[in-house]
Amino acid sequence: MNGNSRKELIEDLERLKQEHRDMDDVIARLQEHAPFDQLQLVRLKKKKLMLKDNMNKLESRLLPDIIA
């Protein structure tokens, strides 16, 4: 992995982390105002989970392989 691609992976990871934090805020604000749209909440939580999965994939690409 060259320096540029590693840097790009790190930048992508930081962007995903920020988006994940933003999603937390959106979900919290939605839940503050009852009644709220359950379908919208489910979709937001699903998107948040997808962001987390993508973050995990990027993190695993950044970690060196460890031979056990």
Side-chain angles (χ1 to χ4, degrees):
M1 178 182 311
N2 64 32
N4 285 342
S5 65
R6 181 171 177 79
K7 181 181 177 189
E8 290 171 1
L9 288 175
I10 292 170
E11 289 171 355
D12 288 346
L13 180 59
E14 290 305 315
R15 181 187 51 79
L16 289 173
K17 285 180 178 181
Q18 181 61 51
E19 195 173 342
H20 189 264
R21 285 188 296 268
D22 292 345
M23 194 65 58
D24 276 335
D25 294 338
V26 169
I27 290 170
R29 282 194 305 262
L30 178 65
Q31 290 177 322
E32 287 174 359
H33 304 288
F36 53 86
D37 185 351
Q38 288 289 332
L39 182 58
Q40 183 182 14
L41 180 65
V42 169
R43 287 178 177 157
L44 290 170
K45 287 184 174 184
K46 187 173 182 176
K47 181 173 180 172
K48 183 180 167 194
L49 183 59
M50 289 179 7
L51 288 169
K52 185 68 173 175
D53 288 343
N54 288 337
M55 288 166 38
N56 288 337
K57 288 176 188 175
L58 284 177
E59 286 172 343
S60 70
R61 290 181 63 192
L62 288 168
L63 294 175
D65 289 334
I66 299 174
I67 300 173

